[in-house]
Coordinates of all heavy atoms in Angstrom, one line a residue:
M19 N -6.6 5.1 4.3 CA -5.3 4.5 4.6 C -4.3 5.5 5.0 O -4.2 6.6 4.4 CB -4.8 3.7 3.4 CG -3.6 2.9 3.6 SD -3.2 1.9 2.2 CE -2.7 3.1 1.0
L20 N -3.5 5.2 6.0 CA -2.5 6.2 6.5 C -1.4 6.4 5.4 O -0.9 5.4 4.9 CB -1.9 5.7 7.8 CG -1.1 6.6 8.6 CD1 -2.1 7.6 9.3 CD2 -0.4 5.8 9.7
Q21 N -1.1 7.7 5.2 CA 0.0 8.0 4.2 C 1.3 7.9 5.0 O 1.5 8.6 6.0 CB -0.2 9.4 3.7 CG 0.6 9.6 2.4 CD 0.5 11.0 1.9 OE1 0.1 11.9 2.7 NE2 1.0 11.3 0.8
L22 N 2.2 7.0 4.5 CA 3.5 6.8 5.2 C 4.5 7.6 4.4 O 5.0 7.2 3.4 CB 3.9 5.3 5.2 CG 2.9 4.4 5.9 CD1 3.3 2.9 5.7 CD2 2.8 4.7 7.4
R23 N 4.8 8.8 4.9 CA 5.7 9.7 4.1 C 7.1 9.3 4.4 O 7.4 8.8 5.4 CB 5.4 11.1 4.5 CG 4.0 11.6 4.1 CD 3.8 13.0 4.4 NE 2.4 13.4 4.1 CZ 1.8 14.5 4.5 NH1 2.4 15.4 5.2 NH2 0.5 14.7 4.1
P24 N 8.0 9.6 3.4 CA 9.3 9.0 3.4 C 10.3 9.9 4.2 O 11.5 9.5 4.3 CB 9.7 9.0 1.9 CG 8.9 10.1 1.3 CD 7.7 10.2 2.1
N25 N 9.9 11.0 4.8 CA 11.0 11.8 5.4 C 10.4 12.7 6.5 O 9.1 12.8 6.6 CB 11.6 12.8 4.4 CG 10.6 13.8 3.8 OD1 9.5 13.5 3.6 ND2 11.1 15.0 3.6
S26 N 11.2 13.3 7.3 CA 10.8 14.3 8.3 C 10.6 15.6 7.7 O 11.5 16.1 7.0 CB 11.9 14.3 9.4 OG 11.7 15.4 10.3
E27 N 9.5 16.3 8.0 CA 9.2 17.6 7.5 C 10.2 18.6 8.0 O 10.4 19.7 7.3 CB 7.8 18.0 7.9 CG 6.7 17.6 6.9 CD 5.4 18.2 7.2 OE1 5.3 19.4 7.6 OE2 4.4 17.5 6.9
C28 N 10.7 18.4 9.1 CA 11.6 19.4 9.7 C 13.1 19.3 9.2 O 13.7 20.3 8.9 CB 11.7 19.2 11.2 SG 10.4 20.1 12.1
C29 N 13.6 18.1 9.2 CA 15.0 18.0 8.9 C 15.3 17.2 7.6 O 16.4 17.0 7.2 CB 15.8 17.4 10.0 SG 15.2 15.7 10.4
D30 N 14.2 16.7 6.9 CA 14.3 15.9 5.7 C 15.0 14.6 5.9 O 15.5 13.9 4.9 CB 15.0 16.7 4.6 CG 14.6 16.3 3.2 OD1 13.5 15.7 3.1 OD2 15.4 16.4 2.3
R31 N 15.2 14.1 7.1 CA 15.8 12.8 7.4 C 14.9 11.7 6.8 O 13.7 11.8 6.9 CB 15.9 12.7 8.9 CG 16.9 11.6 9.4 CD 16.8 11.5 10.9 NE 16.4 10.1 11.1 CZ 16.2 9.6 12.3 NH1 16.3 10.4 13.4 NH2 15.8 8.3 12.5
D32 N 15.5 10.7 6.3 CA 14.7 9.6 5.8 C 14.0 8.8 6.9 O 14.6 8.5 7.9 CB 15.6 8.6 5.0 CG 16.0 9.1 3.6 OD1 15.4 10.1 3.2 OD2 17.0 8.6 3.1
L33 N 12.7 8.5 6.6 CA 12.0 7.7 7.6 C 11.3 6.6 6.8 O 10.2 6.7 6.4 CB 10.9 8.6 8.3 CG 11.4 9.7 9.2 CD1 10.2 10.6 9.6 CD2 12.1 9.1 10.4
P34 N 12.0 5.5 6.7 CA 11.4 4.3 6.0 C 10.2 3.8 6.8 O 10.0 4.1 8.0 CB 12.5 3.3 6.0 CG 13.6 3.8 6.9 CD 13.4 5.2 7.2
P35 N 9.3 3.1 6.1 CA 8.0 2.7 6.7 C 8.2 1.8 7.9 O 7.4 1.9 8.8 CB 7.3 1.9 5.6 CG 8.3 1.8 4.4 CD 9.4 2.8 4.6
Q36 N 9.4 1.2 8.1 CA 9.6 0.3 9.2 C 10.3 1.1 10.4 O 10.6 0.5 11.4 CB 10.4 -0.9 8.9 CG 9.7 -1.8 7.9 CD 8.3 -2.2 8.3 OE1 8.0 -2.5 9.4 NE2 7.3 -2.1 7.4
S37 N 10.5 2.4 10.2 CA 11.3 3.1 11.2 C 10.5 3.3 12.5 O 9.3 3.4 12.5 CB 11.6 4.5 10.6 OG 12.2 5.3 11.6
E38 N 11.2 3.1 13.6 CA 10.6 3.4 14.9 C 10.8 4.8 15.3 O 10.3 5.2 16.4 CB 11.2 2.4 15.9 CG 10.9 1.0 15.6 CD 11.5 0.0 16.7 OE1 11.6 0.5 17.9 OE2 11.7 -1.1 16.4
D39 N 11.4 5.6 14.5 CA 11.7 7.0 14.8 C 10.7 8.0 14.1 O 11.0 9.1 14.0 CB 13.1 7.4 14.5 CG 14.1 6.7 15.4 OD1 13.7 6.3 16.5 OD2 15.2 6.5 15.0
A40 N 9.6 7.5 13.6 CA 8.7 8.4 12.9 C 7.5 8.7 13.8 O 7.0 7.8 14.5 CB 8.2 7.7 11.6
V41 N 7.1 10.0 13.8 CA 5.9 10.4 14.5 C 5.0 11.1 13.5 O 5.5 11.6 12.5 CB 6.2 11.3 15.7 CG1 7.0 10.5 16.8 CG2 6.8 12.6 15.3
I42 N 3.7 11.1 13.8 CA 2.7 11.6 12.8 C 1.6 12.2 13.5 O 1.3 11.9 14.7 CB 2.3 10.3 12.0 CG1 1.5 10.8 10.7 CG2 1.5 9.3 12.8 CD1 1.3 9.6 9.7
C43 N 0.9 13.2 12.9 CA -0.2 13.8 13.4 C -1.5 13.3 12.7 O -1.4 12.5 11.8 CB -0.2 15.4 13.3 SG -0.7 16.0 11.7
T44 N -2.6 13.8 13.1 CA -3.9 13.3 12.6 C -4.0 13.6 11.1 O -4.8 12.9 10.4 CB -5.1 13.8 13.4 OG1 -6.2 13.1 13.0 CG2 -5.3 15.2 13.3
Y45 N -3.3 14.6 10.6 CA -3.3 15.0 9.2 C -2.2 14.3 8.4 O -1.9 14.7 7.3 CB -3.3 16.5 9.0 CG -4.6 17.1 9.5 CD1 -4.6 17.8 10.7 CD2 -5.8 17.0 8.7 CE1 -5.8 18.4 11.1 CE2 -6.9 17.6 9.1 CZ -6.9 18.3 10.3 OH -8.1 18.9 10.8
E46 N -1.4 13.4 9.1 CA -0.4 12.7 8.4 C 0.9 13.5 8.2 O 1.8 13.2 7.4 CB -0.8 12.0 7.1 CG -2.0 11.1 7.3 CD -2.6 10.6 6.0 OE1 -2.7 11.4 5.1 OE2 -3.0 9.4 6.0
C47 N 1.0 14.7 8.9 CA 2.3 15.4 8.9 C 3.2 14.5 9.6 O 2.9 14.0 10.7 CB 2.2 16.8 9.6 SG 0.8 17.8 9.1
T48 N 4.4 14.4 9.1 CA 5.4 13.3 9.6 C 6.7 13.9 9.9 O 7.3 14.8 9.2 CB 5.5 12.2 8.5 OG1 4.2 11.7 8.2 CG2 6.4 11.1 8.9
F49 N 7.2 13.5 11.1 CA 8.5 14.1 11.6 C 9.3 12.9 12.2 O 8.7 11.9 12.5 CB 8.2 15.1 12.7 CG 7.3 16.2 12.2 CD1 5.9 16.1 12.4 CD2 7.8 17.3 11.6 CE1 5.0 17.1 12.0 CE2 6.9 18.3 11.2 CZ 5.6 18.2 11.3
C50 N 10.6 13.2 12.4 CA 11.4 12.2 13.1 C 11.2 12.5 14.6 O 10.8 13.5 15.0 CB 12.8 12.2 12.7 SG 13.7 13.7 13.2
L51 N 11.6 11.4 15.4 CA 11.4 11.5 16.8 C 12.3 12.7 17.4 O 11.8 13.4 18.3 CB 11.8 10.2 17.4 CG 11.4 9.9 18.9 CD1 9.9 10.1 19.1 CD2 11.9 8.6 19.3
A52 N 13.5 12.8 16.9 CA 14.4 13.8 17.4 C 13.8 15.2 17.2 O 13.8 16.0 18.1 CB 15.7 13.8 16.6
C53 N 13.2 15.5 16.1 CA 12.6 16.8 15.8 C 11.4 17.0 16.7 O 11.1 18.0 17.3 CB 12.1 17.0 14.4 SG 13.5 17.2 13.3
A54 N 10.6 15.9 16.9 CA 9.4 16.0 17.7 C 9.7 16.3 19.1 O 9.0 17.1 19.8 CB 8.6 14.7 17.6
E55 N 10.8 15.7 19.6 CA 11.2 15.9 21.0 C 11.8 17.3 21.2 O 11.4 18.1 22.1 CB 12.2 14.9 21.4 CG 11.6 13.6 22.0 CD 12.6 12.5 22.3 OE1 13.8 12.7 21.9 OE2 12.2 11.5 22.8
S56 N 12.8 17.6 20.4 CA 13.6 18.8 20.6 C 13.0 20.1 20.1 O 13.0 21.1 20.8 CB 15.0 18.6 20.0 OG 14.9 18.5 18.6
K57 N 12.4 20.0 18.9 CA 11.9 21.3 18.4 C 10.4 21.5 18.5 O 9.9 22.6 18.7 CB 12.2 21.3 16.8 CG 13.6 21.3 16.5 CD 13.8 21.3 15.0 CE 15.2 20.9 14.6 NZ 15.3 20.6 13.2
L58 N 9.7 20.4 18.5 CA 8.2 20.5 18.4 C 7.5 20.2 19.7 O 6.3 20.4 19.8 CB 7.7 19.6 17.3 CG 8.4 19.8 15.9 CD1 7.9 18.7 15.0 CD2 8.1 21.2 15.4
R59 N 8.1 19.5 20.7 CA 7.5 19.1 21.9 C 6.2 18.3 21.6 O 5.2 18.5 22.3 CB 7.2 20.3 22.8 CG 8.5 21.0 23.1 CD 8.6 21.6 24.5 NE 10.0 21.9 24.8 CZ 10.6 23.1 24.4 NH1 9.9 24.0 23.8 NH2 11.9 23.3 24.7
F60 N 6.3 17.5 20.6 CA 5.2 16.6 20.2 C 3.9 17.3 19.9 O 2.8 16.8 20.1 CB 4.9 15.5 21.3 CG 6.1 14.5 21.4 CD1 7.1 14.7 22.4 CD2 6.2 13.5 20.6 CE1 8.2 13.9 22.4 CE2 7.3 12.6 20.6 CZ 8.3 12.8 21.5
K61 N 4.0 18.5 19.4 CA 2.9 19.2 18.9 C 3.2 19.6 17.4 O 4.2 20.2 17.1 CB 2.7 20.5 19.7 CG 1.5 21.3 19.4 CD 1.3 22.5 20.3 CE 0.3 23.4 19.8 NZ 0.3 24.7 20.4
C62 N 2.2 19.2 16.5 CA 2.4 19.5 15.1 C 2.5 21.0 14.8 O 1.5 21.7 15.1 CB 1.3 18.8 14.3 SG 1.5 19.1 12.5
P63 N 3.5 21.5 14.1 CA 3.6 22.9 13.8 C 2.6 23.3 12.7 O 2.3 24.5 12.5 CB 5.0 23.1 13.3 CG 5.4 21.7 12.7 CD 4.7 20.7 13.6
N64 N 2.0 22.4 12.0 CA 1.1 22.7 10.9 C -0.3 22.9 11.4 O -1.1 23.8 11.1 CB 1.1 21.7 9.8 CG 2.5 21.6 9.2 OD1 3.2 22.5 9.0 ND2 2.9 20.3 9.0
C65 N -0.8 21.9 12.3 CA -2.2 21.9 12.7 C -2.3 22.0 14.2 O -3.5 22.2 14.7 CB -2.8 20.6 12.2 SG -2.2 19.1 13.1
G66 N -1.3 22.0 15.0 CA -1.4 22.1 16.4 C -1.8 20.9 17.1 O -1.9 20.9 18.3
G67 N -2.0 19.8 16.4 CA -2.4 18.5 17.0 C -1.2 17.8 17.6 O -0.1 18.1 17.4
E68 N -1.5 16.7 18.2 CA -0.5 15.9 18.9 C 0.2 15.0 17.9 O -0.3 14.6 16.9 CB -1.1 15.1 20.0 CG -2.1 14.0 19.6 CD -2.8 13.4 20.7 OE1 -2.2 13.1 21.8 OE2 -4.0 13.1 20.6
L69 N 1.5 14.8 18.2 CA 2.3 13.9 17.4 C 2.5 12.6 18.2 O 2.9 12.6 19.3 CB 3.7 14.5 17.1 CG 3.7 15.7 16.2 CD1 5.0 16.4 16.2 CD2 3.2 15.4 14.8
V70 N 2.2 11.5 17.5 CA 2.4 10.2 18.2 C 3.2 9.3 17.3 O 3.3 9.5 16.1 CB 1.0 9.5 18.5 CG1 0.2 10.3 19.4 CG2 0.2 9.3 17.2
R71 N 3.7 8.2 17.8 CA 4.6 7.3 17.0 C 3.8 6.7 15.9 O 2.7 6.3 16.1 CB 5.2 6.2 17.9 CG 6.4 5.6 17.2 CD 7.1 4.6 18.1 NE 6.4 3.4 18.3 CZ 6.5 2.3 17.4 NH1 7.2 2.4 16.4 NH2 5.8 1.2 17.6
R72 N 4.4 6.7 14.7 CA 3.7 6.1 13.6 C 3.7 4.6 13.6 O 4.7 4.0 13.8 CB 4.4 6.6 12.3 CG 3.7 6.2 11.0 CD 4.3 6.8 9.8 NE 5.6 6.2 9.5 CZ 6.5 6.6 8.6 NH1 6.1 7.7 7.8 NH2 7.6 6.1 8.4
P73 N 2.5 4.0 13.5 CA 2.5 2.6 13.5 C 3.1 2.0 12.3 O 3.0 2.6 11.2 CB 1.0 2.3 13.5 CG 0.3 3.5 13.0 CD 1.2 4.6 13.3
R74 N 3.8 0.9 12.4 CA 4.4 0.3 11.3 C 3.5 -0.7 10.5 O 2.8 -1.4 11.2 CB 5.7 -0.4 11.7 CG 6.8 0.5 12.1 CD 7.9 -0.1 12.9 NE 7.4 -0.6 14.2 CZ 8.0 -1.5 14.9 NH1 9.1 -2.0 14.5 NH2 7.5 -1.9 16.1
R75 N 3.5 -0.6 9.2 CA 2.7 -1.5 8.4 C 3.4 -2.8 8.2 O 4.5 -2.8 7.8 CB 2.3 -0.8 7.1 CG 1.3 -1.5 6.3 CD 0.9 -0.6 5.1 NE 0.2 0.6 5.6 CZ 0.0 1.7 4.9 NH1 0.3 1.7 3.6 NH2 -0.5 2.8 5.4
P76 N 2.7 -3.9 8.5 CA 3.4 -5.2 8.3 C 3.9 -5.3 6.8 O 3.3 -4.8 5.9 CB 2.3 -6.2 8.6 CG 1.3 -5.5 9.4 CD 1.3 -4.0 9.0
A77 N 5.0 -6.0 6.7 CA 5.7 -6.1 5.4 C 4.8 -6.6 4.3 O 4.8 -6.1 3.2 CB 7.0 -7.0 5.5
E78 N 4.0 -7.6 4.5 CA 3.2 -8.1 3.5 C 2.1 -7.1 3.1 O 1.7 -7.1 1.9 CB 2.6 -9.5 3.8 CG 1.5 -9.5 4.9 CD 2.0 -9.6 6.3 OE1 3.2 -9.3 6.5 OE2 1.2 -9.8 7.2
K79 N 1.6 -6.3 4.0 CA 0.6 -5.3 3.7 C 1.3 -4.1 2.9 O 0.7 -3.5 2.0 CB 0.0 -4.7 4.9 CG -0.7 -5.8 5.8 CD -2.0 -6.1 5.1 CE -2.9 -7.0 6.0 NZ -2.6 -8.4 6.0
L80 N 2.6 -3.9 3.3 CA 3.3 -2.8 2.6 C 3.5 -3.1 1.1 O 3.5 -2.2 0.3 CB 4.7 -2.7 3.3 CG 5.4 -1.4 3.2 CD1 4.5 -0.2 3.7 CD2 6.6 -1.4 4.1
A81 N 3.7 -4.4 0.8 CA 3.8 -4.8 -0.6 C 2.5 -4.5 -1.4 O 2.6 -4.0 -2.5 CB 4.1 -6.3 -0.7
K82 N 1.4 -4.6 -0.7 CA 0.1 -4.4 -1.3 C -0.2 -2.9 -1.3 O -0.7 -2.3 -2.3 CB -0.9 -5.1 -0.5 CG -2.0 -5.7 -1.3 CD -2.9 -6.6 -0.4 CE -4.2 -7.1 -1.0 NZ -5.0 -7.8 0.0
H83 N 0.1 -2.2 -0.2 CA -0.2 -0.8 -0.1 C 1.1 -0.1 0.3 O 1.4 0.2 1.4 CB -1.2 -0.6 1.1 CG -2.5 -1.4 0.9 ND1 -3.4 -1.1 -0.1 CD2 -3.0 -2.4 1.6 CE1 -4.4 -1.9 0.0 NE2 -4.2 -2.8 1.0
P84 N 1.8 0.3 -0.7 CA 3.2 0.8 -0.5 C 3.2 2.2 0.2 O 2.2 2.9 0.1 CB 3.8 0.9 -1.9 CG 2.8 0.5 -2.9 CD 1.5 0.2 -2.2
A85 N 4.3 2.5 0.8 CA 4.4 3.8 1.5 C 4.5 4.9 0.4 O 4.8 4.7 -0.7 CB 5.7 3.8 2.3
S86 N 4.2 6.1 0.8 CA 4.3 7.3 -0.1 C 5.7 7.6 -0.4 O 6.6 7.4 0.4 CB 3.6 8.5 0.6 OG 4.0 9.7 -0.1
T87 N 6.0 8.1 -1.6 CA 7.3 8.5 -2.0 C 7.4 10.0 -2.1 O 8.5 10.5 -2.5 CB 7.7 7.8 -3.4 OG1 6.7 8.1 -4.3 CG2 7.8 6.3 -3.3
E88 N 6.3 10.6 -1.9 CA 6.3 12.1 -2.0 C 6.9 12.8 -0.8 O 6.3 12.7 0.3 CB 4.8 12.5 -2.2 CG 4.6 13.9 -2.8 CD 3.1 14.2 -2.9 OE1 2.3 13.4 -3.3 OE2 2.8 15.3 -2.4
R89 N 8.0 13.4 -1.0 CA 8.6 14.1 0.2 C 8.0 15.4 0.5 O 7.7 16.2 -0.4 CB 10.1 14.3 -0.1 CG 10.9 13.0 -0.4 CD 12.3 13.3 -0.6 NE 13.1 13.4 0.6 CZ 13.6 12.3 1.3 NH1 13.4 11.1 0.8 NH2 14.3 12.5 2.4
V90 N 7.7 15.6 1.8 CA 7.2 16.9 2.3 C 8.3 17.5 3.2 O 8.7 16.8 4.1 CB 5.9 16.7 3.0 CG1 5.4 18.0 3.5 CG2 4.8 16.0 2.1
F91 N 8.7 18.7 2.9 CA 9.8 19.3 3.6 C 9.5 20.8 3.9 O 9.4 21.6 2.9 CB 11.1 19.2 2.8 CG 12.3 19.7 3.5 CD1 12.6 19.5 4.9 CD2 13.3 20.4 2.8 CE1 13.7 20.0 5.5 CE2 14.4 20.9 3.4 CZ 14.6 20.7 4.8
K92 N 9.2 21.1 5.1 CA 8.8 22.5 5.5 C 9.6 23.0 6.7 O 9.0 23.1 7.8 CB 7.3 22.5 5.8 CG 6.4 22.2 4.7 CD 4.9 22.2 5.2 CE 3.9 21.6 4.3 NZ 2.7 21.3 5.0
P93 N 10.9 23.2 6.5 CA 11.7 23.6 7.7 C 11.3 24.9 8.3 O 11.5 25.1 9.5 CB 13.1 23.7 7.1 CG 12.9 23.9 5.6 CD 11.6 23.2 5.3
Q94 N 10.6 25.8 7.6 CA 10.2 27.1 8.2 C 9.3 26.9 9.4 O 9.4 27.5 10.4 CB 9.5 28.0 7.2 CG 9.7 27.9 5.7 CD 9.2 26.6 5.1 OE1 9.9 25.6 5.0 NE2 7.9 26.6 4.7
G95 N 8.3 26.0 9.2 CA 7.3 25.7 10.2 C 7.9 25.3 11.5 O 7.5 25.6 12.6
C96 N 9.0 24.5 11.4 CA 9.6 23.9 12.5 C 10.4 24.9 13.3 O 10.5 24.9 14.6 CB 10.5 22.8 12.1 SG 9.7 21.6 11.1
K97 N 10.9 25.9 12.7 CA 11.6 27.0 13.4 C 10.7 27.8 14.2 O 11.0 28.1 15.4 CB 12.3 27.9 12.4 CG 13.8 27.6 12.2 CD 14.4 28.5 11.1 CE 15.2 27.7 10.2 NZ 15.2 28.1 8.8
N98 N 9.5 28.1 13.7 CA 8.5 28.9 14.4 C 8.0 28.2 15.6 O 7.6 28.8 16.6 CB 7.4 29.3 13.5 CG 7.8 30.1 12.3 OD1 8.8 30.8 12.4 ND2 7.0 30.2 11.3
A99 N 8.0 26.9 15.6 CA 7.4 26.1 16.7 C 8.2 26.1 17.9 O 7.7 26.0 19.0 CB 7.3 24.6 16.2
A100 N 9.6 26.3 17.8 CA 10.5 26.3 19.0 C 10.3 27.6 19.8 O 9.4 27.8 20.5 CB 11.9 26.2 18.5
Ligands
ZN208 ZN1 13.4 15.5 11.8
ZN209 ZN1 -0.4 18.3 11.6

């Protein structure tokens, strides 16, 4: 199951599970769209993989399989990527 993280690793902005501004890599590193565009050019700074828009989990499924509440914040990695 995809881990839906609650924030952008670059700027710590909140990314609720229904957000359309969340992007994710194959290892579930999660960023906001603004960081992905401006700082990362849609390449994950942790693994080098591509960042794509995170699919939204339907609300009834979200009740059963809730989003992660564990915040991951690594601003250093994002600086190096630029
Ligand atoms: Zn961000
Ligand atoms: Zn990654």
Side-chain angles (χ1 to χ4, degrees):
M19 188 173 68
L20 196 69
Q21 196 185 15
L22 302 172
R23 294 183 183 167
N25 67 320
S26 168
E27 273 190 34
C28 275
C29 65
D30 204 26
R31 201 186 116 180
D32 285 342
L33 293 172
Q36 299 307 317
S37 174
E38 294 185 24
D39 290 334
V41 297
I42 191 166
C43 84
T44 188
Y45 292 104
E46 303 171 321
C47 311
T48 302
F49 305 91
C50 69
L51 193 59
C53 287
E55 271 175 353
S56 64
K57 296 181 196 166
L58 308 172
R59 305 214 161 87
F60 292 96
K61 189 176 162 193
C62 176
N64 303 319
C65 70
E68 63 189 324
L69 294 173
V70 298
R71 196 172 77 83
R72 186 173 71 183
R74 285 164 296 162
R75 188 167 300 166
E78 72 272 16
K79 299 286 191 276
L80 203 56
K82 218 172 170 185
H83 305 291
S86 168
T87 53
E88 200 181 312
R89 299 181 83 85
V90 180
F91 183 41
K92 295 179 193 161
Q94 335 70 265
C96 303
K97 260 175 227 145
N98 297 340

